[in-house]
Amino acid sequence: KLAALALFIGVGLANLHPENYTPFAPNGFTGIHQGAAIVFFAYIGFDAISTAAEETRDPQRNLPIGILGGLAICTVIYVVVGFVLVGMAPYTQLAVADPLAHALGLAGYTGVGWIVALGATVSLTAVLLVFQYGQPRIFMAMARDGLLPQWVARIDPKTRIPYTATLVTGVLVAVAS
């Protein structure tokens, strides 16, 4: 994933067109607001870090570092990718399902576009796995509170993970897929 992103940024920086940055905000504040609302949903997964609090050695120290560090890194990546993407192709040509690969195709790098598209597919799979990671821990907390049967809250003595909730959630997701 990071290799595909680095490849996009490297190729993109070599193909920037400064005229694509004017006008800076062609749709005004409304466009900025709509874009921010869309990007907001990309940050939803960071709450999954907090579901691992019980498995962390020093959660009061490590959770804020993990959450804020992850947010900072992802924000920098979003800004850099957005800057490079708009510099590569006019914003009017980027209203497609795969704007990164499309911009690379417009610049003549179709092969690199396929690599970036593959990286995006792998990233989506990783996001689904992160959601799968947090769900058993949420079920375990619900079972401790009496909202689910107590067997859901069983924890493996060696690994300290909610093994029954993990097994049941994994089977349900596998069957539903």
Side-chain angles (χ1 to χ4, degrees):
K1 296 183 301 189
L2 288 177
L5 185 63
L7 188 60
F8 169 76
I9 292 172
V11 169
L13 287 174
N15 292 286
L16 289 181
H17 303 286
E19 63 273 8
N20 290 340
Y21 295 114
T22 54
F24 178 71
N27 297 323
F29 180 75
T30 303
I32 293 171
H33 184 263
Q34 289 173 344
I38 292 169
V39 171
F40 169 79
F41 289 105
Y43 287 93
I44 288 176
F46 287 98
D47 60 337
I49 296 171
S50 63
T51 62
E54 293 182 28
E55 300 170 34
T56 307
R57 286 202 177 102
D58 186 6
Q60 288 185 329
R61 176 186 168 274
N62 296 335
L63 286 178
I65 290 172
I67 292 171
L68 295 175
L71 284 170
I73 291 168
C74 286
T75 299
V76 168
I77 290 172
Y78 273 115
V79 169
V80 170
V81 167
F83 176 80
V84 170
L85 182 62
V86 173
M88 284 182 68
Y91 74 94
T92 56
Q93 296 180 8
L94 297 176
V96 295
D98 57 347
L100 300 181
H102 184 70
L104 287 166
L106 291 174
Y109 296 96
T110 308
V112 177
W114 279 100
I115 293 170
V116 170
L118 177 66
T121 304
V122 170
S123 297
L124 289 172
T125 305
V127 167
L128 293 175
L129 288 174
V130 167
F131 288 145
Q132 176 64 20
Y133 173 79
Q135 190 62 56
R137 284 140 185 90
I138 292 169
F139 285 156
M140 178 190 68
M142 290 173 67
R144 276 194 311 215
D145 291 343
L147 300 171
L148 292 174
Q150 286 301 309
W151 60 264
V152 177
R154 289 187 196 139
I155 295 179
D156 184 84
K158 182 179 178 187
T159 59
R160 307 286 303 151
I161 63 166
Y163 68 95
T164 55
T166 302
L167 182 63
V168 170
T169 304
V171 168
L172 288 174
V173 169
V175 169
S177 299

